[in-house]
């Protein structure tokens, strides 16, 4: 753990994200059900939004969380929380860089919310979803008219990016 903490910038740190807190909790619960005790995970988000059974995995909301982050293998958070100030570089912390970002239900997210999660300049991004089911939720008719209800997932599916289809 000490070597891992010292070399966090070169170690793999995964962000497992989804559009809302319930979906993030589902991802974390699925991992915990596997019984993998060798994976250090933390849940980032307002405790009031995190499922009661997952509170013990929450990072503290104030103070220096660098010690926790340097030991982590996976951080679970919403796509918008992936850019939380607790993860940013500052005088006291080198910040956190995700090597990999998993975005679950990516077809249900607006393009901009997906890009927020990817803004940490990850090495690899995995977008999971089905653009033939639910689409990105946009309430503004003007935004819909401007094409903002098209998810990045849907845009990629309509391009020449080859998908990986799981059975």
């Amino acid at each position: 753990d000490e070597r891992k903490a010292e070399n966090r910038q070169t170690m793999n740190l995964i962000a497992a994200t989804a559009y809302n807190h319930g979906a993030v909790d589902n991802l974390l619960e699925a991992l915990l059900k596997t019984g993998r005790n060798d994976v250090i995970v933390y849940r980032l988000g307002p405790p009031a939004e995190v499922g009661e059974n997952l509170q013990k995995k929450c990072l503290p909301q104030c103070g220096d969380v660098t010690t926790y982050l340097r030991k982590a293998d996976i951080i679970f958070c919403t796509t918008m929380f992936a850019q939380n100030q607790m993860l940013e570089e500052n005088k006291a912390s080198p910040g956190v860089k995700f090597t990999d970002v998993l975005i679950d239900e990516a077809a249900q997210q607006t393009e901009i919310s997906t890009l927020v999660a990817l803004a940490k300049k990850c090495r690899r991004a995995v977008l999971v979803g089905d653009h033939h089911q639910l689409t990105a939720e946009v309430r503004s008719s003007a935004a819909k008219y401007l094409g903002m209800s098209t998810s990045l997932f849907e845009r990629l599916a309509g391009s020449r990016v080859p998908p990986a289809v799981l059975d």
Side-chain angles (χ1 to χ4, degrees):
D1 274 352
E2 291 304 316
R3 184 185 62 79
K4 184 185 235 183
E6 290 173 14
N7 296 317
R8 170 45 64 207
Q9 295 301 320
T10 59
M11 301 297 288
N12 292 335
L13 178 60
I14 299 168
T17 70
Y19 183 68
N20 62 46
H21 291 287
V24 174
D25 286 353
N26 289 341
L27 283 172
L28 179 52
E29 286 173 341
L31 177 69
L32 294 175
K33 284 180 185 175
T34 67
R36 295 274 316 257
N37 295 326
D38 60 327
V39 180
I40 300 170
V41 299
Y42 291 107
R43 176 70 166 85
L44 180 60
E49 299 289 334
V50 177
E52 192 175 315
N53 59 328
L54 300 173
Q55 292 288 321
K56 63 186 176 292
K57 294 293 183 183
C58 281
L59 285 173
Q61 292 298 299
C62 57
D64 184 17
V65 297
T66 307
T67 305
Y68 297 99
L69 295 172
R70 286 186 179 158
K71 293 180 182 178
D73 295 303
I74 307 172
I75 300 294
F76 287 81
C77 59
T78 62
T79 51
M80 298 307 273
F81 250 81
Q83 284 297 320
N84 188 280
Q85 65 184 7
M86 292 190 324
L87 305 175
E88 295 301 315
E89 184 175 342
N90 57 50
K91 291 178 186 173
S93 169
V96 173
K97 294 185 179 20
F98 297 118
T99 54
D100 303 276
V101 175
L102 169 82
I103 301 175
D104 193 27
E105 300 297 348
Q108 295 178 25
Q109 300 187 49
T110 62
E111 190 167 12
I112 193 68
S113 67
T114 302
L115 293 173
V116 166
L118 300 177
K120 287 271 187 197
K121 301 176 184 166
C122 61
R123 179 181 64 205
R124 180 177 30 232
V126 177
L127 280 63
V128 179
D130 183 349
H131 62 289
H132 296 296
Q133 291 185 358
L134 298 174
T135 59
E137 182 181 334
V138 175
R139 294 185 181 137
S140 164
S141 57
K144 286 180 185 177
Y145 178 78
L146 293 171
M148 293 180 180
S149 62
T150 302
S151 67
L152 179 62
F153 188 91
E154 185 177 356
R155 196 174 305 281
L156 290 171
S159 71
R160 296 178 187 218
V161 175
V165 180
L166 304 176
D167 290 328

